[in-house]
Amino acid sequence: MRKIFMTLLLAMPFAFASAQQVIRLYDGVAPGSEGVEDNERVNRDANGRIQTISGVVTPSITVFLPEASKATGTAVILCSGGGLMSHSWGSDVLNMAAWLNERGIAAIGLKYRTRVMGGMPGGMGRPQGGMPGAQGGMGLSAEVYEFDKLVRSNANPDTSEGGQKNIDNAIADALRAMEIVRAHAGEWHIDVKKIGYLGFSAGGGVGLGAVVRADDNHHAAFMATIYGPSLIDVDVPSNAPKLFIATRGNHHNVAAGLLSLYVDWKKAGGNAEMHLYDDGTGPFGPDDTGNTCGTWRESFYRWLCFNHLN
């Protein structure tokens, strides 16, 4: 039987959510990770709150449910950033989960498998879950107006065999997470028709990969990606969910990948909304009130209300 771990409910500031359950995605070793040494590392701040997690071999979901009186039936599977090498858990999961719960939305933090040995090419990775280095590692180099350089909206700079396995494992974990959330929907007061993904940076690529590869049993109601382009070839599904995109227009490679994705989604007849901010060049946080991109969360919430909360 799948192991379910009940976490201690800690007194936390408002900005952070308290987990209610942690559920392993697989009963045994995750398929594709046989023989890989578990070397998970958790980095905490001075108050003991988790900030980042790396070396993930045993994937899981962490469940954050709103008060029953507030529950809307909508659930968001949160895919944190970190260049597929780590998880920006504090900002992308704990912070966002608290914000979503306040609005009656269930939040499911996905701790997908990360790269365990070695680094991504080209000096990839940046603090707080940024996407790969500006020059694209394996030769990808495109400004937003050069989006047509991308083939099938694939913005993954790591074309190595190991890099492909890394994203494949993470996508498999995202699909498994959807399966588990659907199975517990009744227990968690979730409507199976209102479950979707919200991904940051590389986590956006993970969520998008799950949407592209999903069958009817893993179909997402919506997909939101925040400065996270696709990391695999995109064939827009015939039943593609509504897509929300937010990024800075000068975020090298990332903006081009997301504009390419937006165009491909629309060409396929899908519903897509895109927010391009011109106030910087890289990632941004949910509380970045000093820039116009700091409004993305409210835009996302309004989009969600019009499409999935009513």
Side-chain angles (χ1 to χ4, degrees):
M1 179 180 293
R2 186 183 306 114
K3 295 180 181 178
I4 300 180
F5 302 91
M6 297 299 294
T7 63
L8 293 176
L9 299 181
L10 303 177
M12 289 185 173
F14 171 77
F16 291 88
S18 295
Q20 290 147 354
Q21 286 185 354
V22 178
I23 303 176
R24 287 177 56 163
L25 297 189
Y26 309 97
D27 289 336
V29 177
S33 292
E34 295 82 1
V36 180
E37 181 181 357
D38 193 337
N39 192 30
E40 184 169 316
R41 297 177 297 281
V42 178
N43 177 52
R44 300 176 183 270
D45 65 15
N47 295 314
R49 293 184 294 253
I50 296 175
Q51 294 301 295
T52 61
I53 305 173
S54 60
V56 177
V57 176
T58 303
S60 63
I61 56 171
T62 303
V63 182
F64 306 88
L65 300 178
E67 296 176 12
S69 61
K70 292 183 178 181
T72 62
T74 298
V76 175
I77 298 174
L78 295 169
C79 304
S80 56
L84 297 180
M85 296 181 68
S86 64
H87 290 278
S88 294
W89 197 259
S91 60
D92 296 352
V93 174
L94 298 182
N95 195 335
M96 278 303 304
W99 188 88
L100 290 166
N101 283 176
E102 276 297 306
R103 289 154 180 79
I105 302 168
I108 313 297
L110 171 60
K111 189 174 72 173
Y112 55 82
R113 280 170 285 175
T114 61
R115 180 180 292 266
V116 177
M117 298 180 63
M120 298 284 275
M124 290 174 60
R126 61 165 69 225
Q128 300 303 315
M131 280 296 289
Q135 297 308 312
M138 297 296 288
L140 175 64
S141 182
E143 300 295 345
V144 64
Y145 51 81
E146 299 174 305
F147 69 92
D148 55 352
K149 285 185 176 181
L150 281 81
V151 179
R152 296 168 69 184
S153 298
N154 189 340
N156 193 347
D158 186 0
T159 57
S160 68
E161 181 179 351
Q164 186 60 54
K165 182 177 181 180
N166 199 37
I167 183 61
D168 286 345
N169 282 344
I171 291 171
D173 295 343
L175 289 168
R176 177 64 177 149
M178 176 63 75
E179 186 178 322
I180 293 174
V181 175
R182 280 173 167 262
H184 287 270
E187 173 189 348
W188 296 340
H189 305 290
I190 292 170
D191 185 338
V192 292
K193 296 180 180 179
K194 294 184 177 182
I195 307 170
Y197 296 99
L198 168 59
F200 298 86
S201 191
V206 173
L208 286 164
V211 165
V212 168
R213 293 180 178 175
D215 57 22
D216 290 341
N217 294 323
H218 298 84
H219 179 70
F222 57 88
M223 175 68 217
T225 179
I226 313 304
Y227 53 85
S230 179
L231 301 177
I232 64 170
D233 289 350
V234 173
D235 292 308
V236 181
S238 58
N239 62 342
K242 292 183 178 180
L243 174 66
F244 179 93
I245 299 169
T247 189
R248 282 171 162 157
N250 294 320
H251 195 161
H252 195 77
N253 290 334
V254 170
L258 285 169
L259 184 53
S260 176
L261 179 71
Y262 173 83
V263 171
D264 282 352
W265 218 261
K266 298 297 285 185
K267 281 182 178 178
N271 184 300
E273 179 172 320
M274 185 170 189
H275 296 254
L276 274 172
Y277 300 101
D278 199 24
D279 63 0
T281 59
F284 46 85
D287 303 313
D288 193 357
T289 56
N291 294 289
T292 54
C293 63
T295 63
W296 78 264
R297 221 163 40 170
E298 293 304 325
S299 296
F300 164 69
Y301 180 62
R302 177 169 293 196
W303 174 84
L304 200 60
C305 285
F306 273 93
N307 291 295
H308 303 288
L309 293 185
N310 296 326

